[in-house]
Amino acid sequence: MTGQGVDVEFPVGYPAYLAPECVTDMATGKQGYDKRDCWAVAIILVEQFTHNSFWTTSDVGLIFDSLMTLSEWAEESDDIWNYKGIDSLDINKDVLRFLQTKDTDSPDNDSSEFRNFILCLLRVSVASRPSTSQVLSLAFLSDAVKPTGTWKRGPVLASDSLDPDDPFDSPNPAPKDALDGLPISQIYHLWRLAGGDVELDLIKRGVFLSTPVIERLPRICTLHDLEVGANTNDTAQLYSDTMYVLGFKELYQRLEEGRKTHTDRFEWDTDYFMVVDENDVNFLLASEEPAKQSKDDILSENYFLYAEDLVQQTPGHGGAFVSTPLPTTPSASRSTNRSFSWSGMSRSGSASSLPVTSPTPLTPTQPSAPKLPLFLREQDVNYQYYRQALFSELLRQYPMSRKELLHHAKVDIPPLLRGKVWAAVLGLSGDLEHDYDSVDKYTDLGADRQIEVDVPRCHQYNQLLASSVGHEKLRRLLKAWVSANRKLVYWQGLDSLCAPFLTLNFNDEAIAFMCLQEFIPKFLNNFFLSDNAPVLQEYLAVFRHLLSYHDPALSSHLDTIGFNPELYAIPWFLTLFTHVFPLDKIYHLWDKLLVGPPSLPLFAGIAILRQIRDTLLSCEFNDCITIFSESFPKVDIEKCVQSAMNMCKVTPPSVMRRVHGPKDNTQLLDSEFGDTNGMFSRKPAWWQEPLSTEEKKQELAPRIDIEDLTKLLPYTLLLDIRSDQE
């Protein structure tokens, strides 16, 4: 960038490690820039050896004066470090003592060789100082890097080098720090949950200083061509490199309290898409019948991987842990998975989170342990410690652990790892950075004008998206999507759809972009066609039928007053609620959307209407318009998600069948495995063909096919309202 310092008028480097020629030859442009690095390396090695800084001052001017003096003395004497005036320079006395020691005064031969090596690098004269290639060929380094043995073929096990007397299996091992080995981001997140606040902590220590604005005004008064007073610098705005150690006492106390608490609250790892009331049918469970499960068995015999020793414990200070129910071996998990029948499992195709001997009931019922609200779980230090450790290990084993990760993600996702977990749930793999870099982000394909309008107003309450950097990143992502999907068009609202992925992966645009690429085909297939009217109309017709199925009274009332879904629900589904909810609610909603079936957004819309059901039933058309246009009603997003899942489980698939919907599972399996003969799919019967959009719009209630009706019979009462003639 600087042409090795030639193209700039200042020395490039940290002042304490600059060579003398960096100061004396700034304007001469002399060669030998690699020799400057040799000087800097020597300074670093001396500081490490003597445990002292080379210079006794941090004043740049004094350091530069000393370097210029060394250059002047070097013209008079070759033994610069024993020059008569060397003590007057700002060089540490211990460093000088090391450099001035004679070989005869040092009984240690290694120290003498090291000193001579350093003196060779610290020659003030550039001509006599060795270059980097010459340094590497010196005898001191040649002896150090000489190979001591022959290469070994085959794997080298770390256990081969363990000392048999190593106290690894000691009956009283040393206590292990609960935070040992965790990434700094996870430690900081847990510290914040435990009550840590950097700003408040530094204010208490008097580090954050603030000067009143009135005192920062110019203090100059002009009177008869005279100036009285002067400007003053605000010391509170000056940079300080002082380091402060944060206290972890509160965090350790919280972890210790969690160790003493009963661990039933950590036994919630249940697939709530499969848990139903004993009096209800579960169509999601029925969709995982052996025909499709056998295909999963074909996919991989070694599908489940799980860290046996990482998350078998809950945290405690000093290494005290409590066991939690986790598998002992992956093979045991697979055998358990095969031994359970699908009609009796309460897990989503994964039993690897259950020990073989765990007393799991064979009927899917609600867990016995009380489940805290999601908000409280996200603030619980011990719970987040457990979940972060679990997902970190599953992410490390991705993609082989994807099915196991999906199972645990159906419970909840730790906020700190949400971006990476979403990417894994969507099945991202490969060189994402290369794929993203290969997309044209600069050519105007006709959407730039709308993008420029949308970006500055997209979730501007969020600090990341409101920043200039956030605007630029969002603009690049949207232009990349338009460029990568030439058959689709940019519709207003795509910016809001992109916002959650960008905020969670703000420093990794490639992941955000690829998540958007995988997300849209699953939940918004064909929504971004240039003519998306047939897709939207069919989607809204299905939404109207589902509302009639789950709340006939509300559906009939809205239909009577003419308040159709076209008037309020298009922004909901085109942006998957990102246009109406803040991002903190979107995160929780999408946590379940991503691991649920593609039809789940429809039920989320119904759940919203049912939360304000009483208000809507008492309103006429104009009042309903006002409710959704002026200020969106307050919605409990956790109750909304739970209600949506409950409705999704008990809804017959024939009610949700769409012509423009995403491929079903059997089609995906056939295309993925090249099954051209339809081994895993069959042609639907005439009554299973979806109705046309016009037919759906004319009918208020949905139709149910025969196959779904037979499953509903044990739970329903049928009334034949046909006349005798019919």
Side-chain angles (χ1 to χ4, degrees):
M1 182 181 295
T2 64
Q4 294 187 335
V6 177
D7 301 333
V8 294
E9 298 179 355
F10 53 86
V12 179
Y14 197 73
Y17 301 99
L18 290 177
E21 64 269 20
C22 295
V23 180
T24 59
D25 299 335
M26 283 190 294
T28 62
K30 291 185 177 180
Q31 300 300 317
Y33 292 97
D34 61 335
K35 296 185 178 183
R36 300 179 180 184
D37 294 335
C38 296
W39 175 282
V41 169
I43 298 293
I44 295 173
L45 292 176
V46 168
E47 290 181 340
Q48 293 293 321
F49 185 82
T50 61
H51 303 287
N52 288 287
S53 298
F54 189 90
W55 302 101
T56 58
T57 179
S58 59
D59 188 287
V60 177
L62 294 177
I63 294 176
F64 282 10
D65 288 342
S66 298
L67 291 174
M68 297 181 69
T69 303
L70 287 175
S71 298
E72 296 173 359
W73 291 347
E75 298 176 357
E76 304 175 8
S77 173
D78 293 334
D79 191 6
I80 190 66
W81 303 110
N82 288 293
Y83 196 79
K84 58 183 178 181
I86 193 69
D87 292 336
S88 63
L89 301 183
D90 295 300
I91 301 177
N92 187 277
K93 303 302 179 184
D94 293 334
V95 173
L96 274 179
R97 191 177 302 112
F98 168 75
L99 297 176
Q100 294 171 348
T101 302
K102 303 295 184 181
D103 292 346
T104 56
D105 300 335
S106 176
D108 188 354
N109 185 51
D110 292 339
S111 298
S112 299
E113 292 181 0
F114 177 68
R115 184 182 303 104
N116 293 331
F117 174 72
I118 295 297
L119 291 173
C120 181
L121 300 185
L122 290 181
R123 292 173 182 172
V124 178
S125 173
V126 180
S128 60
R129 191 188 312 152
S131 63
T132 53
S133 59
Q134 292 171 337
V135 169
L136 293 175
S137 63
L138 292 176
F140 177 77
L141 290 182
S142 299
D143 295 338
V145 299
K146 185 180 297 182
T148 58
T150 58
W151 290 100
K152 295 182 179 180
R153 296 182 61 87
V156 179
L157 301 179
S159 57
D160 293 342
S161 60
L162 291 179
D163 186 354
D165 297 329
D166 188 278
F168 184 79
D169 295 325
S170 174
N172 297 312
K176 182 180 179 182
D177 192 333
L179 303 179
D180 186 30
L182 292 183
I184 188 64
S185 58
Q186 293 189 20
I187 295 177
Y188 179 70
H189 181 69
L190 295 173
W191 181 77
R192 289 287 305 273
L193 293 180
D197 189 315
V198 174
E199 184 175 353
L200 182 61
D201 189 85
L202 295 181
I203 289 176
K204 291 180 179 179
R205 301 185 188 192
V207 177
F208 282 174
L209 304 176
S210 59
T211 304
V213 177
I214 190 65
E215 295 187 13
R216 296 202 299 266
L217 294 176
R219 300 180 182 178
I220 299 179
C221 299
T222 58
L223 181 63
H224 301 296
D225 298 330
L226 297 177
E227 291 186 355
V228 181
N231 285 327
T232 59
N233 292 326
D234 183 9
T235 57
Q237 304 300 320
L238 299 179
Y239 169 74
S240 174
D241 58 358
T242 307
M243 298 181 63
Y244 298 91
V245 179
L246 300 176
F248 284 80
K249 180 179 179 181
E250 181 67 23
L251 175 57
Y252 280 121
Q253 288 179 348
R254 297 282 290 273
L255 294 176
E256 178 68 17
E257 292 173 1
R259 181 186 68 84
K260 299 176 181 178
T261 306
H262 197 271
T263 59
D264 281 348
R265 55 179 175 162
F266 296 139
E267 298 176 8
W268 299 334
D269 215 349
T270 303
D271 181 359
Y272 291 95
F273 284 98
M274 298 302 163
V275 175
V276 293
D277 186 85
E278 59 182 4
N279 296 321
D280 285 330
V281 63
N282 188 347
F283 284 97
L284 293 181
L285 190 63
S287 66
E288 301 287 348
E289 286 300 320
K292 295 177 185 176
Q293 175 60 16
S294 61
K295 182 64 177 287
D296 286 341
D297 290 338
I298 297 174
L299 296 182
S300 174
E301 177 67 18
N302 192 25
Y303 204 75
F304 297 118
L305 292 177
Y306 198 83
E308 309 168 8
D309 54 351
L310 180 65
V311 200
Q312 295 180 11
Q313 305 157 335
T314 51
H317 180 47
F321 292 84
V322 179
S323 298
T324 55
L326 293 174
T328 54
T329 61
S331 59
S333 303
R334 293 193 298 273
S335 63
T336 306
N337 185 33
R338 290 191 295 267
S339 63
F340 281 177
S341 66
W342 269 97
S343 60
M345 284 190 61
S346 61
R347 306 275 173 174
S348 60
S350 167
S352 57
S353 294
L354 287 173
V356 178
T357 57
S358 62
T360 304
L362 292 180
T363 55
T365 57
Q366 294 288 351
S368 58
K371 183 180 179 183
L372 292 177
L374 180 60
F375 173 76
L376 295 180
R377 278 179 280 157
E378 291 187 345
Q379 302 300 318
D380 190 300
V381 175
N382 291 276
Y383 185 75
Q384 289 304 310
Y385 179 100
Y386 161 73
R387 299 296 285 180
Q388 288 177 13
L390 169 66
F391 279 93
S392 295
E393 182 63 14
L394 291 174
L395 288 172
R396 188 183 67 83
Q397 300 177 13
Y398 180 83
M400 291 303 296
S401 62
R402 182 171 180 265
K403 194 168 186 179
E404 187 76 0
L405 188 144
L406 279 169
H407 160 69
H408 295 291
K410 290 179 180 180
V411 182
D412 56 46
I413 299 175
L416 187 66
L417 303 176
R418 180 174 278 125
K420 296 295 186 293
V421 173
W422 280 12
V425 168
L426 288 169
L428 301 192
S429 61
D431 191 349
L432 305 184
E433 196 69 35
H434 176 269
D435 295 342
Y436 181 62
D437 290 340
S438 62
V439 178
D440 180 13
K441 312 175 189 64
Y442 305 101
T443 304
D444 184 2
L445 298 177
D448 283 21
R449 182 177 180 181
Q450 187 61 47
I451 290 176
E452 292 297 331
V453 173
D454 290 343
V455 166
R457 59 189 185 187
C458 177
H459 294 280
Q460 292 304 288
Y461 57 86
N462 183 275
Q463 293 183 352
L464 295 178
L465 296 178
S467 65
S468 58
V469 177
H471 287 182
E472 187 61 30
K473 287 178 178 288
L474 182 58
R475 188 177 295 109
R476 274 197 303 269
L477 285 175
L478 295 176
K479 289 174 67 68
W481 184 88
V482 173
S483 177
N485 300 273
R486 301 296 178 93
K487 296 182 179 180
L488 305 177
V489 298
Y490 179 90
W491 282 97
Q492 188 176 5
L494 184 64
D495 55 318
S496 297
L497 198 65
C498 183
F501 295 119
L502 177 57
T503 54
L504 294 178
N505 302 281
F506 197 74
N507 295 321
D508 199 332
E509 289 182 39
I511 292 182
F513 172 73
M514 298 308 296
C515 283
L516 186 66
Q517 283 286 80
E518 296 293 330
F519 182 82
I520 290 178
K522 178 179 179 181
F523 294 101
L524 299 171
N525 189 43
N526 297 327
F527 270 53
F528 291 92
L529 294 172
S530 57
D531 182 16
N532 63 356
V535 181
L536 283 174
Q537 289 177 5
E538 184 189 37
Y539 200 84
L540 296 176
V542 172
F543 174 71
R544 181 164 163 262
H545 282 180
L546 289 172
L547 180 60
S548 299
Y549 185 83
H550 290 283
D551 198 329
L554 178 59
S555 177
S556 177
H557 172 72
L558 296 180
D559 185 70
T560 300
I561 64 176
F563 192 62
N564 299 321
E566 289 82 353
L567 299 174
Y568 62 90
I570 292 180
W572 293 7
F573 301 124
L574 192 60
T575 67
L576 282 188
F577 307 99
T578 55
H579 194 67
V580 294
F581 286 141
L583 287 176
D584 58 334
K585 291 187 176 182
I586 290 298
Y587 294 148
H588 294 159
L589 177 60
W590 281 21
D591 280 349
K592 291 298 184 290
L593 292 185
L594 286 169
V595 297
S599 59
L600 193 57
L602 290 165
F603 297 99
I606 297 174
I608 293 173
L609 294 180
R610 297 184 72 178
Q611 280 201 27
I612 56 174
R613 182 178 190 273
D614 295 339
T615 303
L616 292 176
L617 288 175
S618 62
C619 291
E620 295 299 325
F621 179 84
N622 292 335
D623 300 324
C624 292
I625 291 291
T626 302
I627 291 175
F628 289 101
S629 59
E630 292 185 354
S631 60
F632 196 80
K634 294 182 179 180
V635 174
D636 187 329
I637 201 66
E638 188 171 2
K639 291 182 179 178
C640 172
V641 170
Q642 189 62 47
S643 176
M645 290 193 300
N646 291 336
M647 289 186 289
C648 184
K649 289 181 291 190
V650 299
T651 303
S654 54
V655 177
M656 301 175 286
R657 190 173 294 126
R658 294 187 291 125
V659 174
H660 301 286
K663 294 180 179 180
D664 60 27
N665 293 335
T666 55
Q667 290 174 323
L668 290 174
L669 289 172
D670 292 339
S671 61
E672 185 174 346
F673 287 87
D675 178 28
T676 58
N677 298 322
M679 171 182 176
F680 297 100
S681 62
R682 54 188 175 85
K683 185 177 180 180
W686 63 267
W687 61 82
Q688 292 177 320
E689 294 286 349
L691 297 174
S692 66
T693 302
E694 291 303 321
E695 289 178 305
K696 290 180 179 179
K697 293 174 67 174
Q698 293 175 2
E699 299 177 357
L700 181 60
R703 298 188 186 184
I704 302 175
D705 65 23
I706 299 175
E707 183 179 355
D708 292 339
L709 182 61
T710 57
K711 297 176 182 178
L712 285 172
L713 284 177
Y715 308 93
T716 57
L717 174 64
L718 296 182
L719 297 178
D720 190 348
I721 60 174
R722 293 175 298 178
S723 62
D724 295 337
Q725 291 76 15
E726 295 176 328

